[in-house]
Amino acid sequence: MTGQRSDARRNYRRILAVAEAEVARHGAAASLEQVARTAGVGSATVRRHFPTRQALLEAVFQERVQALCERADQLTRADDSRAALLDWLHDLVRYAVSARGLADALTYEPPTDTPADADAQHSCGAALESAATPLLRRALRDEVVRPGVTFHDLLTLAVGIALATEHHTDPAAQADRLFTLTVEGLSPSPRA
């Protein structure tokens, strides 16, 4: 946004603030037209700043995703690689449950074996993958996670739990329960 006119920067901030509120209310299905009306700009202005719904969702969740990336970095220094990976994955599940629409935003990014283009490299999924891969590699190396588990497996698991519990009376409690059940199958605790 460097070099943008001050009114363009103000529009961007206003659109993003309105989008955050709309996504919190309606999830990933928030109306871009409603965002434009509430922000007091035209639909073309919204699309100029956010050419796709995915681009808007990426911007809405940027801070939460950055916090998850920082948490992964902190956990790389933990002694127990299993606990570190599971703590991070649980944080991801909690964020996805509490941030309506985040799970939907992450489902836009199916795994690929091809290098990502420049925009995709800055996506929520790519940022999370980059941050969490060292945790997963260490857990795999220490043989505390089943061989063959990939980051995309973990992301699919977290997204699935978030989406499956979003309409429960207490989605956070149900997600925690499902996460615990999953972990027992994903990485059984070593027997003493």
Side-chain angles (χ1 to χ4, degrees):
M1 281 191 342
T2 333
Q4 280 187 335
R5 298 183 330 230
S6 61
D7 60 332
R9 288 190 302 273
R10 272 193 308 275
N11 283 344
Y12 178 89
R13 287 191 300 270
R14 189 171 344 138
I15 292 165
L16 188 55
V18 168
E20 287 172 350
E22 285 295 310
V23 170
R25 270 194 294 284
H26 304 288
S31 164
L32 298 181
E33 288 73 25
Q34 182 62 39
V35 168
R37 275 192 301 275
T38 305
V41 300
S43 293
T45 301
V46 171
R47 295 200 191 288
R48 189 168 33 257
H49 289 289
F50 306 102
T52 65
R53 177 178 301 278
Q54 179 64 12
L56 181 64
L57 292 172
E58 296 282 347
V60 164
F61 296 119
Q62 184 178 12
E63 283 184 31
R64 284 182 181 256
V65 167
Q66 184 58 41
L68 281 168
C69 292
E70 290 168 8
R71 177 75 170 134
D73 183 56
Q74 293 166 355
L75 288 168
T76 60
R77 294 181 283 286
D79 291 333
D80 184 338
S81 62
R82 178 183 184 273
L85 177 64
L86 294 179
D87 284 351
W88 183 85
L89 186 58
H90 201 196
D91 287 347
L92 175 59
V93 169
R94 285 183 187 131
Y95 270 22
V97 168
S98 69
R100 191 161 182 209
L102 177 59
D104 287 302
L106 293 173
T107 63
Y108 280 97
E109 302 182 45
T112 66
D113 292 328
T114 58
D117 63 28
D119 288 339
Q121 289 175 353
H122 301 292
S123 70
C124 291
L128 292 172
E129 182 174 13
S130 178
T133 294
L135 294 172
L136 178 58
R137 282 189 185 137
R138 188 169 154 226
L140 287 165
R141 184 192 68 229
D142 292 348
E143 298 179 350
V144 294
V145 172
R146 294 183 191 279
V149 171
T150 68
F151 170 78
H152 291 289
D153 294 334
L154 300 179
L155 184 63
T156 300
L157 185 80
V159 165
I161 290 172
L163 292 174
T165 59
E166 71 182 353
H167 297 294
H168 283 252
T169 306
D170 187 352
Q174 184 65 13
D176 283 345
R177 180 179 173 279
L178 290 176
F179 179 80
T180 300
L181 290 171
T182 302
V183 166
E184 290 173 3
L186 176 68
S187 178
S189 297
R191 303 261 185 237

